[in-house]
Amino acid sequence: MATSNALVIAGAGLAGAKAAETLRAEGFDGPLVLLGDENERPYERPPLSKGYLMGRSEREKVYVHPARWYEEHDVDLRLGTAVTALDPAAHELTLADGSRQGYAKLLLATGATPRPLPVPGAELDGVLLLRRLGDSDLIKETFRTAQQIVVVGGGWIGLETTAAARAAGVAVTVVETAELPLLQVLGREVAQVFADLHTDHGVAFRYGAEIAEITGTLGHADGVRLTDGTQIPADAVIIGIGVAPNSKLAEDAGLEVDNGVRVDAQLRSSHPDVHAAGDVANAFHPFLGTHIRVEHWANALHQPQAAARAMLGQDVAYDRLPYFFTDQYDLGMEYTGYVAPGGYDRVVFRGDTARREFIAFWLSGDRVLAGMNVNIWDVVEPIRALVTSGRTVDTARLADPGVPLADLVA
């Protein structure tokens, strides 16, 4: 068994890699082990549904560090190494090959897994999920030969994949159970913007619809049948109905699990020597005053840096506001803040929604909870200041592009 003074990170994605980088940058010079169940070194996921999927960025650019970085920083990177059990009392992990790895402190950065669609035919060839680099490669190859596809789910992954398919000239039908894409995430007012965007680019939507079966010929998907009996032909079916946190390791070990590994503001779990960060962590947010689990890139980038410092005994708390971005067709946007489903009173728009050049603000009373800038840039910091100030705002001035955002918190 490895030396018990090792710091161990389970999960070699962006979160795990950034934690390892921070531990070394903060002066930890002891044994550092990074365990990943994939055979790829740590990479970032946004390109998988954006630039890399569309062929606009090279494969090498998806990786967090150059291949030599891990050896140069004395990080024991073990790929193709799944963790099968955790014993917090013994400070020990069991690996898939039966070996054991001891630790002084452990970071769980095990991420999340796409939710499968529980219908007949989901096992057919041509039914695709997007989470890993190889998935993006397969979908990209599918776009080269497919004429029409069905995307199940109108969330961020579904819509980004749809935009990539349309850019490749593939016809797309999106099947969504809600009345609009992104309805639960953005609310009706802003969800309509994305619905119109995709409709303008030739996407067909089936709202309020559910899949009864994925049909196939000779073992390969050839379409879907909806619960109302409608048949939609397709050369491939892409499932994008969300992800589930990979928290079984923690749950089996007796750690507190509730929509992910439940951790405090220091990213510490119910066992003091086990931390969690990234998609798997349901963390207490000091500013928001509640636990939230964030599945976006910025969280996987920044949260493990705080966790690493906490593992070293530093007095830190992760209070960065959630942030995410998307690029679809000619629309680029950034979102800053947090709004629970149904947790806002109204949306105030600044700019031109018809031209898709605007900022949307979600308000509770006269206080800004979140802001989303669409094709307007360099405003994230003032939006963040508006949210974190907690001040009430004059909504007429908020909607007026002639009033600098900074003046609203001055």
Side-chain angles (χ1 to χ4, degrees):
M1 187 176 70
T3 310
S4 62
N5 67 340
L7 298 187
V8 176
I9 302 165
L14 173 60
K18 295 307 290 187
E21 179 184 307
T22 303
L23 288 168
R24 287 301 190 224
E26 292 294 317
F28 177 71
D29 59 2
L32 179 53
V33 180
L34 179 56
L35 304 170
D37 62 356
E38 293 188 59
N39 290 314
E40 297 280 356
R41 72 180 189 273
Y43 58 86
E44 302 192 33
R45 299 193 189 276
L48 274 55
S49 60
K50 298 182 176 73
Y52 180 71
L53 181 61
M54 298 180 74
R56 294 177 178 173
S57 62
E58 299 175 0
R59 187 183 186 90
E60 188 63 26
K61 291 185 177 180
V62 309
Y63 295 107
V64 182
H65 298 115
R68 63 183 182 278
W69 184 91
Y70 300 93
E71 182 179 358
E72 290 175 350
H73 291 81
D74 197 20
V75 175
D76 183 4
L77 174 61
R78 302 184 207 166
L79 301 177
T81 304
V83 179
T84 57
L86 162 62
D87 185 342
H91 286 64
E92 189 175 82
L93 297 170
T94 301
L95 308 182
D97 63 3
S99 64
R100 297 184 179 185
Q101 171 67 54
Y103 64 84
K105 300 275 187 178
L106 171 67
L107 177 65
L108 296 173
T110 46
T113 297
R115 297 182 187 276
L117 186 67
V119 300
E123 76 289 347
L124 291 168
D125 290 341
V127 178
L128 309 172
L129 298 165
L130 177 56
R131 182 65 181 177
R132 299 191 168 195
L133 188 53
D135 299 332
S136 187
D137 288 333
L138 183 55
I139 292 173
K140 188 189 303 186
E141 184 60 33
T142 298
F143 289 166
R144 294 192 179 102
T145 57
Q147 293 185 329
Q148 53 190 352
I149 65 170
V150 167
V151 173
V152 183
W156 294 116
I157 293 296
L159 293 189
E160 289 177 355
T161 304
T162 294
R166 292 299 298 129
V170 181
V172 183
T173 300
V174 176
V175 178
E176 168 58 48
T177 57
E179 300 171 50
L180 289 169
L182 301 168
L183 184 61
Q184 186 175 9
V185 178
L186 299 179
R188 181 174 302 279
E189 301 90 340
V190 182
Q192 188 66 56
V193 173
F194 284 88
D196 293 344
L197 170 70
H198 283 270
T199 300
D200 289 351
H201 283 83
V203 176
F205 282 96
R206 291 300 304 260
Y207 295 124
E210 295 186 19
I211 305 292
E213 177 187 12
I214 299 174
T215 59
T217 302
L218 299 176
H220 193 282
D222 62 12
V224 301
R225 180 173 61 82
L226 305 184
T227 53
D228 67 1
T230 302
Q231 300 275 351
I232 304 175
D235 300 311
V237 179
I238 299 176
I239 311 298
I241 56 173
V243 298
N246 293 328
S247 54
K248 187 176 187 302
L249 189 68
E251 185 175 7
D252 290 348
L255 301 181
E256 187 176 357
V257 170
D258 175 18
N259 183 30
V261 181
R262 193 173 174 89
V263 295
D264 61 18
Q266 290 74 43
L267 292 313
R268 185 180 298 108
S269 76
S270 54
H271 190 284
D273 292 333
V274 179
H275 291 69
D279 290 3
V280 76
N282 185 4
F284 182 79
H285 196 286
F287 175 75
L288 299 171
T290 188
H291 278 78
I292 61 170
R293 189 174 67 83
V294 179
E295 297 170 354
H296 296 293
W297 163 85
N299 194 64
L301 176 69
H302 297 291
Q303 195 178 63
Q305 298 177 47
R309 294 184 177 102
M311 292 168 72
L312 296 176
Q314 298 180 22
D315 183 15
V316 298
Y318 187 74
D319 61 0
R320 191 180 185 93
L321 283 179
Y323 164 93
F324 61 90
F325 70 98
T326 191
D327 296 297
Q328 299 172 33
Y329 311 110
D330 57 352
L331 182 149
M333 81 83 174
E334 301 171 289
Y335 180 106
T336 305
Y338 176 76
V339 182
Y344 69 99
D345 301 328
R346 56 182 163 158
V347 176
V348 172
F349 290 95
R350 164 187 287 231
D352 190 337
T353 56
R355 294 181 58 188
R356 301 186 186 111
E357 295 179 2
F358 65 89
I359 306 174
F361 301 95
W362 285 259
L363 281 77
S364 176
D366 290 325
R367 188 169 68 86
V368 176
L369 304 177
M372 184 178 83
N373 49 296
V374 174
N375 290 338
I376 293 176
W377 307 110
D378 302 321
V379 292
V380 169
E381 289 308 318
I383 291 173
R384 182 177 290 121
L386 270 175
V387 175
T388 56
S389 72
R391 296 181 183 179
T392 59
V393 297
D394 180 332
T395 54
R397 299 181 74 216
L398 183 66
D400 184 353
V403 177
L405 292 177
D407 287 1
L408 298 172
V409 292

